[in-house]
């Protein structure tokens, strides 16, 4: 069986953690490396959380972590644009999906000396164009690497990205943006316009593919470490969606485990039941819609010169996914 060569980019985070558990458990994935990035928490916490997950399932000798960017590219330079980033210990109020440290034992594992941006450039440039990136945090590391060595864009087989929202968002003053893209909109725009093959899993879809409490309990009952850890994170998220996040239109029996859907979709593309090729741009204006992803489903676009041109279909946008199949893939991996 040929394996997918994968690099993951994570801001771990409870749902990133489940995605990692699935990737590490899969026989179909050769996990070349994991890059941490500022996002759900500051870079020290997301890196430590990533290492905790890897250590907990005994993969510390196999799976290497490369510490990534501590801040978005530019969005924090204007103090009003992203006042709470980076999220640190002080932000945590107990009513939240992630916490500061994940509910896992402390780890002695350390990240590699090489930073994530150098790791991307070195690994992709030495590759044969056969590496898939699963990016489930702000896209700062990847955008930096693309700016420093644009030739890596021709070396990426595919990027499966959790990001963007079509209608319902979870970030920004209007709650119209999605967190990963909102946190570093310039980075998202660089990646979107990179010419790479992008499969994009938006919030609208992850909100409709929740994992349920009975499924989490079954993961836990399996007695595996991955099942225990996944259940711990999913239960926390379900509890939180019942209270703090109750305004979001998620399936009440569960909670979205956004990032894990990207791993399931890599392993079985039929999890994505509807995909539309379209054009996407970011609003990076700093105004009310700052960080919102703008989709053009038409075949034409019209630039400021007034001329109609064929729209560049830069993303394969996932519109629907199969919840049952997703839950089954997750369960099969974390309970084995
Ligand atoms: C995304 O934001 C983060 O909080 C999650 O880990 C996920 O990647 C959802 O908007
Ligand atoms: Ca994430």
């Amino acid at each position: 069986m040929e394996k997918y060569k994968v690099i993951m980019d994570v801001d771990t985070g409870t749902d990133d953690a489940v995605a990692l558990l699935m990737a590490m458990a899969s026989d179909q994935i050769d996990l070349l490396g994991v890059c941490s990035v500022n996002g759900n928490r500051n870079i020290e916490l997301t890196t430590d959380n990533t290492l905790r997950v890897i250590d907990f399932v005994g993969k510390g000798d196999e799976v290497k972590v490369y510490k990534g960017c501590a801040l978005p590219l530019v969005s924090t330079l204007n103090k009003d644009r992203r006042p709470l980033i980076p999220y640190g210990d002080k932000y945590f109020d107990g009513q939240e999906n992630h916490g500061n440290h994940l509910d896992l034992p402390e780890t002695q594992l350390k990240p590699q000396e090489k930073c994530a941006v150098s790791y991307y450039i070195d690994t992709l440039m030495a590759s044969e164009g056969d590496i898939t990136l699963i990016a489930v945090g702000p896209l700062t590391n990847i955008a930096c690497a693309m700016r420093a060595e644009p030739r890596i864009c021709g070396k990426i087989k595919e990027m499966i990205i959790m990001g963007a929202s079509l209608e319902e968002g979870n970030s920004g003053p209007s709650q119209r943006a999605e967190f990963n893209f909102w946190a570093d909109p310039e980075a998202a725009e660089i990646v979107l316009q990179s010419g790479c093959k992008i499969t994009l899993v938006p919030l609208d879809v992850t909100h409709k593919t929740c994992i349920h409490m009975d499924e989490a309990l079954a993961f836990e009952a399996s007695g595996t470490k991955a099942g225990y850890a996944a259940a711990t994170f999913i239960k926390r998220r379900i509890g939180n969606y019942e209270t703090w996040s109750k305004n979001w239109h998620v399936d009440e029996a569960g909670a979205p485990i956004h990032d894990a859907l990207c791993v399931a979709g890599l392993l079985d593309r039929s999890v994505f039941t509807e995909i539309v090729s379209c054009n996407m741009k970011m609003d990076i204006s700093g105004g009310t819609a700052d960080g919102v992803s703008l989709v053009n489903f038409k075949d034409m676009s019209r630039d400021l010169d007034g001329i109609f041109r064929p729209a560049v279909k830069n993303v394969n946008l996932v519109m629907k996914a199969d919840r049952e199949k997703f839950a089954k893939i997750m369960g099969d991996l974390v309970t084995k």
Side-chain angles (χ1 to χ4, degrees):
M1 176 185 51
E2 202 184 336
K3 290 188 170 189
Y4 297 103
K5 292 184 184 173
V6 171
I7 302 174
M8 292 183 72
D9 203 280
V10 294
D11 60 329
T12 320
T14 44
D15 57 327
D16 307 72
V18 179
L20 272 170
L21 291 166
M22 290 168 66
M24 288 189 289
S26 172
D27 298 333
Q28 288 173 262
I29 291 180
D30 180 5
L31 189 54
L32 303 180
V34 180
C35 297
S36 60
V37 68
N38 165 75
N40 284 318
R41 285 290 171 277
N42 67 43
I43 190 64
E44 301 306 329
L45 290 167
T46 62
T47 306
D48 180 70
N49 283 337
T50 304
L51 292 164
R52 284 186 188 210
V53 176
I54 292 168
D55 200 9
F56 188 68
V57 292
K59 295 272 186 182
D61 290 337
E62 280 170 54
V63 181
K64 304 297 176 213
V65 173
Y66 299 84
K67 190 171 172 181
C69 295
L71 283 174
L73 296 182
V74 297
S75 60
T76 49
L77 294 179
N78 175 341
K79 296 263 178 287
D80 296 331
R81 267 184 91 194
R82 299 293 179 275
L84 290 175
I85 287 183
Y87 293 132
D89 330 10
K90 292 193 183 68
Y91 175 73
F92 176 50
D93 62 3
Q95 288 293 313
E96 204 268 342
N97 275 328
H98 307 288
N100 284 326
H101 290 287
L102 293 179
D103 301 322
L104 290 179
E106 288 181 22
T107 179
Q108 299 307 313
L109 293 180
K110 300 278 178 247
Q112 303 298 296
E113 276 298 308
K114 188 181 280 198
C115 76
V117 175
S118 298
Y119 171 70
Y120 275 120
I121 294 170
D122 294 349
T123 310
L124 288 165
M125 289 308 290
S127 78
E128 291 169 10
D130 54 354
I131 297 176
T132 299
L133 308 188
I134 297 183
V136 295
L139 292 166
T140 319
N141 294 334
I142 299 170
C144 274
M146 286 176 168
R147 279 295 196 247
E149 178 45 280
R151 288 178 298 171
I152 66 169
C153 297
K155 291 284 200 171
I156 297 169
K157 183 178 175 194
E158 181 183 14
M159 303 180 68
I160 304 182
I161 297 173
M162 194 282 132
S165 62
L166 305 183
E167 289 176 11
E168 189 176 53
N170 61 4
S171 295
S174 66
Q175 288 289 293
R176 179 56 189 74
E178 181 284 323
F179 177 77
N180 290 337
F181 278 23
W182 173 82
D184 196 341
E186 282 80 8
E189 179 65 359
I190 288 169
V191 171
L192 287 174
Q193 311 313 330
S194 66
C196 292
K197 179 179 177 191
I198 294 174
T199 299
L200 187 59
V201 181
L203 197 68
D204 311 67
V205 175
T206 62
H207 275 183
K208 296 282 175 288
T209 48
C210 290
I211 300 298
H212 297 168
M213 183 59 96
D214 60 331
E215 291 162 339
L217 294 174
F219 301 165
E220 191 169 33
S222 72
T224 64
K225 287 198 139 191
Y228 169 82
T232 304
F233 304 140
I234 295 165
K235 286 194 290 184
R236 178 187 181 112
R237 294 180 67 87
I238 291 174
N240 193 51
Y241 274 84
E242 280 169 359
T243 52
W244 187 75
S245 315
K246 65 174 175 255
N247 288 331
W248 283 315
H249 300 110
V250 303
D251 171 357
E252 285 175 11
I257 315 297
H258 315 279
D259 300 344
L261 188 57
C262 295
V263 177
L266 171 72
L267 296 174
D268 182 349
R269 206 46 71 106
S270 71
V271 169
F272 300 149
T273 49
E274 186 183 341
I275 299 179
V276 176
S277 291
C278 58
N279 179 266
M280 183 178 281
K281 295 186 177 76
M282 293 302 297
D283 186 319
I284 52 175
S285 63
T288 311
D290 191 25
V292 172
S293 43
L294 302 165
V295 190
N296 177 6
F297 287 111
K298 299 193 187 99
D299 290 330
M300 305 300 287
S301 69
R302 197 178 193 186
D303 294 327
L304 293 179
D305 60 9
I307 297 174
F308 282 103
R309 295 186 177 83
V312 176
K313 311 274 185 180
N314 58 343
V315 298
N316 299 312
L317 185 62
V318 178
M319 304 295 290
K320 287 187 186 146
D322 184 331
R323 195 210 77 81
E324 272 69 33
K325 209 175 256 187
F326 170 40
K328 167 116 179 41
I329 292 171
M330 183 185 290
D332 287 348
L333 289 171
V334 300
T335 63
K336 78 176 206 195

